[in-house]
Amino acid sequence: MKLVLFALLSTAAAWHLPVNPRSHPTSLSATGPATPSDPLRIGTRGSPLALAQAYLTRKLLIESFPELAEEGALEICVMKTQGDMILDKSLMELGGKGLFTKELDTSLLANEVDICVHSMKDVPTWLPDGTVLPCNLEREDTNDAFIAGDGSVASISDLPDNAVIGTASLRRQAQLMAKNPTFKCVNFRGNVQTRLRKLDDGVVDATLLAIAGLKRMDMAGCATSVLEWDEMLPAVAQGAIGIQCRSDDERSLKYIDALNHKETKSCVDCERAFLAALDGNCKTPIAGQARIVNGEMLFRGLIAMPDGSELYETNSSGKVEDAAEIGTKAGEELKARVGDKFFEMMVEMSPQLAPGQVTQK
């Protein structure tokens, strides 16, 4: 059975709940603060993964607040974002982070939705004034999954020279090409099902996806292997879901504060501080992961040239309560170590596709 058929069948469950699709949601309480009788409106993108994450949030809210189980108490509002609509260009060409959150931010500030559910790795390190993101759900596995079109290929090291790998991520591209400069990395965007279909059709030899997303859609069986951090350091905040609301919305704050997983939030805060210190976005190949071991925060970060020709790593540790400070210092240390010339070269390379990369529609 082909991968894409397996993927579509295994994610069908993600569509079992009613949603309210709207490119520009109509506010149900635009004239004033929400009342207890108003539904709590959950804003989300419309991809199967985004919906799975919205449904998970809905489930957790109902488990924590039985009153939200009543009919009409929760409403899922689906919106299209620029990142979802423009698929023939790389994220780098479109301007980087914010492509999957801008429309949700606008709807939130216009009081058209009450909370927004995000994949944290898509969220810029700054938030619009009037909004906060105080909640991270418990994190899934943060690693990347390697998926090969040829059953005889079990890992990246098994790929032949000049193999074509589909990825829209400069982070993945840089680490892949650092391992083998002959690899050809092509722009590979769209939802998980679209990417697997392209792999099935032989457009590429292999691709990489976050195992967290596959697990959330009951599609982990699509993975050929799961990559350890030494093979592919994951993106900042990969595997984490964040929930955003208006900063003055006490009702929404009460609900989402109850869902916050403290350890996850500490790790995500550390990683995002590292990214902010490096002024990172989708034009810069940056990876960063934090974890808590025996009560101590351990952090590992990486920055590279898009073609993998230069790659620098850093490791740091400290108290969990100093998570953001650990990330900031790690970013500042790495930034000083690579020097201004490194970033000048990256600016020169970023507007174009890195060597070996081909735009694949």
Side-chain angles (χ1 to χ4, degrees):
M1 182 181 293
K2 289 192 171 185
L3 281 175
V4 67
L5 178 59
F6 173 80
L8 289 170
L9 290 173
S10 61
T11 55
W15 296 88
H16 74 285
L17 292 171
V19 298
N20 186 7
R22 24 173 127 172
S23 297
H24 301 285
T26 301
S27 173
L28 299 181
S29 56
T31 58
T35 68
S37 60
D38 289 326
L40 184 71
R41 299 159 299 174
I42 303 171
T44 179
R45 295 165 55 202
S47 71
L49 175 56
L51 287 171
Q53 294 177 165
Y55 296 153
L56 172 61
T57 300
R58 180 185 188 275
K59 173 178 177 288
L60 295 173
L61 284 167
I62 289 172
E63 289 175 354
S64 298
F65 300 95
E67 69 270 21
L68 294 179
E70 297 178 8
E71 185 176 356
L74 287 169
E75 180 181 357
I76 294 179
C77 304
V78 180
M79 283 160 276
K80 289 185 177 180
T81 70
Q82 185 181 10
D84 294 312
M85 293 184 283
I86 304 176
L87 299 177
D88 61 348
K89 294 183 179 180
S90 68
L91 298 179
M92 178 179 67
E93 292 175 286
L94 292 173
K97 285 186 178 291
L99 292 168
F100 298 110
T101 60
K102 183 178 179 181
E103 286 79 5
L104 291 170
D105 289 337
T106 299
S107 294
L108 186 62
L109 289 169
N111 199 14
E112 295 170 342
V113 296
D114 300 305
I115 65 174
C116 293
V117 180
H118 300 290
S119 292
M120 282 302 301
K121 70 175 183 178
D122 294 333
V123 180
T125 52
W126 57 270
L127 298 174
D129 290 342
T131 73
V132 291
L133 208 163
C135 172
N136 288 139
L137 303 185
E138 185 172 3
R139 201 173 198 173
E140 235 317 340
D141 186 342
T142 69
N143 297 49
D144 278 321
F146 173 74
I147 309 174
D150 183 344
S152 67
V153 175
S155 66
I156 294 173
S157 60
D158 292 336
L159 288 170
D161 287 351
N162 301 305
V164 180
I165 304 169
T167 177
S169 164
L170 284 182
R171 169 190 64 86
R172 289 174 177 141
Q173 173 182 301
Q175 293 183 74
L176 285 166
M177 296 184 73
K179 296 177 187 299
N180 187 334
T182 73
F183 285 160
K184 309 297 181 184
C185 294
V186 302
N187 185 40
F188 212 56
R189 295 196 48 227
N191 62 38
V192 171
Q193 288 80 359
T194 298
R195 298 186 202 193
L196 291 177
R197 184 169 62 248
K198 289 181 179 180
L199 179 63
D200 244 5
D201 291 343
V203 174
V204 296
D205 298 309
T207 190
L208 280 75
L209 295 169
I211 190 64
L214 294 177
K215 285 185 174 182
R216 288 183 179 127
M217 293 187 293
D218 295 323
M219 293 168 57
C222 291
T224 302
S225 61
V226 178
L227 304 177
E228 297 300 326
W229 288 7
D230 289 340
E231 297 176 274
M232 181 68 57
L233 190 63
V236 162
Q238 184 157 300
I241 297 172
I243 308 179
Q244 180 186 18
C245 70
R246 291 178 295 277
S247 55
D248 61 354
D249 185 350
E250 295 183 5
R251 181 183 71 147
S252 294
L253 284 167
K254 178 192 74 171
Y255 286 137
I256 65 178
D257 278 347
L259 304 188
N260 184 50
H261 188 258
K262 292 182 179 179
E263 288 193 2
T264 296
K265 185 146 193 330
S266 293
C267 291
V268 169
D269 286 349
C270 179
E271 294 164 21
R272 282 169 59 80
F274 171 75
L275 188 67
L278 290 169
D279 300 319
N281 54 42
C282 288
K283 296 182 180 182
T284 48
I286 294 173
Q289 289 284 288
R291 55 185 164 191
I292 299 171
V293 179
N294 297 325
E296 184 179 29
M297 177 72 72
L298 305 179
F299 175 78
R300 181 178 175 188
L302 173 154
I303 187 168
M305 295 300 295
D307 63 357
S309 58
E310 294 185 53
L311 188 150
Y312 300 88
E313 294 189 60
T314 185
N315 290 275
S316 56
S317 61
K319 297 179 180 178
V320 174
E321 54 266 33
D322 297 330
E325 183 180 354
I326 293 168
T328 298
K329 287 184 176 179
E332 291 173 345
E333 179 271 326
L334 198 54
K335 192 172 185 177
R337 176 148 50 99
V338 302
D340 293 340
K341 183 64 177 177
F342 177 90
F343 289 97
E344 290 171 7
M345 291 172 62
M346 182 172 291
V347 169
E348 291 175 3
M349 182 177 288
S350 291
Q352 299 86 30
L353 297 175
Q357 193 182 47
V358 178
T359 301
Q360 180 71 48
K361 294 184 180 182

